[in-house]
Amino acid sequence: MHETPGMAAALPAGALSQRLFGHLRRSDQQLWGRVYLEGLLRTHGKKTVRRMAAVVTGSESASASLHQFVNASPWEWAPARSELARWVDQSLPVRAWTLAPAVLPKRGSYSVGVHQRFLPAAARTVNCQLGIGLFLGSGPVQVPVDWRLFLPPRFTRDEAVRDRVKIPATAKPQPLWASALSLVRETTSWSYGRTAPVVADLTALCDVVPLARRLHGSGHAFVLAVPGQTTLADPELPPGDRESARGMLLRRGVRHRVGAGRQIVSYDTPVHGLRPDGERVLGSGRLLAEWDASGGRAGRIWLTNITDRHPAELLELACSPRGAQAAIHRMGEEFGLLDFEGRSFPGWHRHMTLVSAAYACGMLEGMER
């Protein structure tokens, strides 16, 4: 057996559970944390609490305790996620912090955050919850360590609705780019200064320019997909003096041959940043895209403030969102992502924490074999 370079030995579920939940004072909470985690790993098919309880404990009656642990037992998920993030960082060569959305189909209208959303890729509207996750990893190997749940207006303005699904007062309405930024800031607080470029394709969900400005102003390296019509000039310039990202690449971009029949087009452009204290900063950046020579057009366009790497290396980094989406799909198929039995805000976050831990355990243990 060969260990992946820079990867620590994978923890079995029991040891990982102890690391995530060892800080809990009550032994019964530690027990049910381990049972839930092992249930997600060992139960085939739909991960209901009844089936997981039967598989791990041999008793279906333990399902009430599992349901209680996730939905009502008073434990905070942030400490468990911070431990998960540190373990993944120790276990993988982390070259990107990838932000990726998870659309979770739901029935009814009572689950926290549920709303109607049009999905351009599927060309249809679904009833769903929308989560944004932060993944650590490299290329196709991406492991989730933290999550935010999008709350539409009726879940933030109606106090009766907030109370029913147990949304805490600290959960404020915010745009999706701000949720993504909060994920980066929280992971930074856990990482002891060890960071990686933030990579994301959130163009179907929100305006990413405010996210880019704040990441740059906070000193974070990033590679973010941007719509072709995005303008990157000083926001105080008149609209007529601003040029679109696609226009910059098409008219002034430099083409780089990176293989037989493959080209990348790039254009150096200033990047405007906004510091946490509100001060504006200006730095160097770059637009880049794969170039379709036969059609004379640029593919997906990316904005980055990383200027000391070859464009081909940056586009390799930009593949990380595909790895994160593959992880989300596998979490739904094999690790119970879609099987949460509850409607509350705390329950959703606890379930996502446990599913992320189960995926990390299964993924890294599989890499060890």
Side-chain angles (χ1 to χ4, degrees):
M1 179 174 63
H2 299 284
E3 191 168 287
T4 301
M7 190 174 90
L11 289 174
L16 177 57
S17 177
Q18 178 59 34
R19 178 161 182 170
L20 299 185
F21 303 116
H23 68 282
L24 298 179
R25 295 182 179 180
R26 289 168 41 185
S27 59
D28 63 313
Q29 290 178 317
Q30 296 180 27
L31 167 65
W32 295 117
R34 179 182 61 79
V35 172
Y36 201 102
L37 181 59
E38 290 190 0
L40 292 172
L41 287 164
R42 292 168 50 188
T43 306
H44 297 291
K46 190 174 179 65
K47 275 60 170 180
T48 66
V49 290
R50 183 178 296 276
R51 296 187 69 198
M52 291 193 296
V55 167
V56 179
T57 70
S59 167
E60 291 185 357
S61 64
S63 62
S65 296
L66 280 185
H67 194 277
Q68 167 79 10
F69 172 72
V70 170
N71 285 289
S73 185
W75 59 274
E76 295 295 326
W77 52 87
R81 290 182 184 179
S82 67
E83 284 299 321
L84 177 63
R86 293 184 187 111
W87 174 56
V88 173
D89 186 61
Q90 294 163 4
S91 304
L92 283 176
V94 176
R95 299 191 179 95
W97 289 5
T98 305
L99 297 165
V103 176
L104 311 176
K106 301 294 289 186
R107 293 179 179 176
S109 60
Y110 292 102
S111 294
V112 62
V114 72
H115 63 289
Q116 296 279 311
R117 176 168 290 270
F118 178 74
L119 305 180
R124 63 189 180 96
T125 298
V126 298
N127 199 57
C128 66
Q129 295 167 320
L130 175 65
I132 298 181
L134 189 144
F135 294 68
L136 305 185
S138 175
V141 181
Q142 300 289 331
V143 179
V145 297
D146 201 10
W147 293 92
R148 293 292 181 272
L149 176 65
F150 171 67
L151 296 174
R154 76 183 182 94
F155 286 95
T156 58
R157 297 173 182 168
D158 189 322
E159 288 301 322
V161 172
R162 289 182 69 105
D163 290 343
R164 188 184 71 232
V165 293
K166 301 180 182 178
I167 297 175
T170 53
K172 304 293 185 182
Q174 59 181 358
L176 285 166
W177 66 260
S179 295
L181 182 65
S182 72
L183 282 168
V184 174
R185 287 176 172 168
E186 185 159 53
T187 305
T188 301
S189 72
W190 297 338
S191 68
Y192 303 120
R194 290 164 55 94
T195 62
V198 177
V199 184
D201 182 355
L202 302 176
T203 53
L205 297 175
C206 64
D207 181 3
V208 297
V209 172
L211 176 61
R213 293 188 193 281
R214 285 159 179 80
L215 287 174
H216 187 67
S218 300
H220 285 283
F222 65 81
V223 181
L224 300 178
V226 295
Q229 67 270 24
T230 300
T231 57
L232 303 170
D234 188 322
E236 293 190 351
L237 284 176
D241 292 339
R242 306 177 194 175
E243 187 173 11
S244 72
R246 190 172 297 279
M248 291 179 183
L249 284 176
L250 291 178
R251 285 187 279 275
R252 288 180 272 173
V254 176
R255 291 171 200 167
H256 312 263
R257 189 177 299 277
V258 292
R262 184 168 178 249
Q263 292 184 356
I264 294 172
V265 59
S266 70
Y267 176 71
D268 291 342
T269 181
V271 174
H272 295 266
L274 187 67
R275 290 179 177 167
D277 62 5
E279 183 180 349
R280 294 182 179 181
V281 295
L282 187 65
S284 300
R286 180 184 292 170
L287 289 166
L288 64 152
E290 187 119 18
W291 179 257
D292 179 1
S294 63
R297 62 179 181 272
R300 172 69 81 198
I301 298 173
W302 300 85
L303 172 67
T304 180
N305 59 354
I306 304 171
T307 57
D308 59 352
R309 300 192 197 182
H310 191 277
E313 185 180 353
L314 294 172
L315 279 187
E316 285 295 320
L317 202 59
C319 292
S320 297
R322 291 205 296 267
Q325 286 300 325
I328 290 169
H329 177 76
R330 189 178 172 200
M331 289 163 68
E333 292 287 318
E334 302 177 31
F335 295 92
L337 180 70
L338 306 178
D339 298 335
F340 171 51
E341 295 183 54
R343 294 174 173 173
S344 72
F345 182 90
W348 186 90
H349 275 283
R350 291 169 185 149
H351 177 74
M352 296 299 282
T353 302
L354 286 151
V355 170
S356 298
Y359 180 79
C361 192
M363 183 73 170
L364 297 180
E365 187 176 26
M367 292 178 64
E368 280 272 290
R369 293 171 182 165

